[in-house]
Amino acid sequence: DAGVIQSPRHEVTEMGQEVTLRCKPISGHNSLFWYRQTMMRGLELLIYFNNNVPIDDSGMPEDRFSAKMPNASFSTLKIQPSEPRDSAVYFCASSLQSQGPQPQHFGDGTRLSIL
Amino acid sequence: AQSVTQLGSHVSVSEGALVLLRCNYSSSVPPYLFWYVQYPNQGLQLLLKYTTGATLVKGINGFEAEFKKSETSFHLTKPSAHMSDAAEYFCGVVGNTPLVFGKGTRLSVIA
């Protein structure tokens, strides 16, 4: 079975540019999560969706960040404009449910470098 | 809301020695508990989980964890460390909110 697919795997861009990260969840999963991982802050939950609807975006650092899930098989995380402090690894995960005993399944992440 | 504390950001063991990674949690409702492993340049991979029932849970790669409600703990163990176990390990709890992770423990295995 295909796992969670993220693209691109690596992104290097200059500050001020728009960055779009993409995620395809596991088919049949109803919940999707976006995380950011840095050395300083560890693993942070940015936002999660249930049935394509954003439920909690309190982890989104600021208005420069936005996430959408137009359908059950695709989600994007956008940063506009990007800043060097946004450099991190961004993970997408999906699950059958946002709470309860079902585990989250993670993609391999997008390593983002903002110059 | 729930929280997780992982004691020790870095643990170093000799190959063949016991691995013990500590995790304590807090939750206002009966928790579901998880351990994930992250290898370099990869995403998190589920090692094992506790939902209900038997408190000793066995996972992949010879790891196991025991849920102790009285101690609010879910420590991860492996009897004999292998070089391939070197990775970052995350404990997580689901209570009345989605999964909350600890800050992780980096395991080094010395030959």
Side-chain angles (χ1 to χ4, degrees):
Chain A
D1 289 342
V4 175
I5 299 172
Q6 291 187 246
S7 63
R9 286 298 312 276
H10 302 273
E11 175 89 9
V12 180
T13 191
E14 295 187 348
M15 67 176 295
Q17 296 298 307
E18 178 178 291
V19 173
T20 300
L21 311 182
R22 296 172 175 81
C23 176
K24 177 179 172 56
I26 293 172
S27 177
H29 281 191
N30 299 315
S31 297
L32 183 138
F33 307 81
W34 282 101
Y35 291 88
R36 178 173 68 175
Q37 186 177 38
T38 62
M39 291 291 291
M40 293 295 294
R41 293 177 173 267
L43 199 59
E44 303 173 274
L45 176 64
L46 301 178
I47 185 172
Y48 76 96
F49 297 81
N50 281 347
N51 297 314
N52 313 336
V53 176
I55 302 301
D56 184 354
D57 65 354
S58 60
M60 296 286 262
E62 48 197 277
D63 292 344
R64 297 184 296 105
F65 286 69
S66 63
K68 294 182 179 179
M69 192 164 184
N71 57 62
S73 59
F74 183 66
S75 178
T76 60
L77 179 67
K78 189 171 294 186
I79 309 172
Q80 167 62 18
S82 58
E83 296 183 4
R85 60 193 168 123
D86 302 330
S87 298
V89 181
Y90 291 81
F91 289 103
C92 176
S94 71
S95 179
L96 288 170
Q97 56 187 152
S98 60
Q99 297 175 229
Q102 297 300 328
Q104 292 183 21
H105 299 261
F106 283 75
D108 283 334
T110 295
R111 184 172 296 275
L112 178 63
S113 297
I114 308 297
L115 307 178
Chain B
Q2 59 265 21
S3 66
V4 173
T5 301
Q6 291 185 239
L7 296 176
S9 60
H10 186 204
V11 171
S12 185
V13 300
S14 298
E15 190 174 21
L18 172 72
V19 176
L20 171 60
L21 304 182
R22 299 178 186 274
C23 172
N24 288 89
Y25 70 91
S26 69
S27 177
S28 57
V29 300
Y32 301 111
L33 296 160
F34 302 83
W35 274 101
Y36 283 80
V37 61
Q38 184 181 28
Y39 299 103
N41 299 316
Q42 293 186 24
L44 278 69
Q45 177 184 353
L46 181 69
L47 267 181
L48 51 80
K49 66 177 183 179
Y50 168 78
T51 55
T52 59
T55 57
L56 182 62
V57 180
K58 295 185 184 300
I60 61 172
N61 301 339
F63 284 93
E64 61 182 37
E66 187 171 11
F67 170 59
K68 293 187 177 181
K69 183 179 178 180
S70 62
E71 299 178 8
T72 61
S73 69
F74 191 56
H75 302 330
L76 182 70
T77 61
K78 181 175 181 178
S80 177
H82 192 271
M83 297 298 290
S84 60
D85 295 327
E88 186 102 16
Y89 292 80
F90 293 89
C91 180
V93 61
V94 173
N96 52 11
T97 64
L99 186 59
V100 172
F101 285 106
K103 293 189 180 300
T105 298
R106 181 166 299 278
L107 176 67
S108 297
V109 181
I110 304 168

